[in-house]
Amino acid sequence: NHLNHPLEIFTSIHHDNNHYLNTLYLWSVGLGQPYWVYHSPSLLAGIAFLIAVSLWAFRRDQLEGCLVALLLGCSFLFVRYSVEARGFLPMMFFGFCAFLAAERYVEQPRSLSAIAFIACSILAFLAQLTFLEWYAVLLVWTAWKLRGKSLPLHLPVFAFLFLLWFVDLRFVRIGGTMDRQTVGEMLIDAAASLLGIKPDGQPLTPLAWIAGGALLTWLLRESWQWIRLRIHDRTLRTLLVMIDLPAVLLI
């Protein structure tokens, strides 16, 4: 409400709840609109993401496509974030488009695929900054597949991130509150919560330490096996879903 120019979305707010594209959209439509106007970008992005991921999975295997569509379409978190006036689902949609462009570039390097990857990555960052977790995986994957020839994909994105850091990220304030925990306690806490054995706000129990420690040990074991074995494309994608993203989210 206090902005005089759309560029101030980047230069004035400096808050981690400022999802740039979403803030720009809210600023452009203004106050007094029906609720569905504010929520429509997330809803449309959620529908598009569900269709795109399902079609990609169907291309690989019919049963896999059915399972992906069913699990994603019935996911509580996916449905919830699809109807919030925030940037998470646009980030996921643009992030998946960036993955598809990177996949095409790995198969056959072409300028059009590189441009699509760069554009979708930047849009995903503008939608929500937690795309950094996804982008880090894409960075490692493309570097490994292209044997060091992935710089054309990433240099423009690095330049964009440096500019964003210069105008906004170095000033960003973190919203909400955060418990004072050590890194180890935080990891155990997250693992225990993931297994459903620690109610919110309750102290850690011995069972939480045992279960959380077992889960983290398993993650470390799987990561070690991943390093030792030679990874094929299908295995890499499986590990991306089963190990990389849950581990990053736990941390």
Side-chain angles (χ1 to χ4, degrees), residues 121 136 201 235:
S121 296
T235 307

Side-chain angles (χ1 to χ4, degrees), residues 15-30:
H15 197 283
D16 71 316
N17 279 332
N18 175 28
H19 306 171
Y20 304 110
L21 290 182
N22 189 66
T23 305
L24 179 62
Y25 173 76
L26 296 178
W27 178 83
S28 64
V29 298

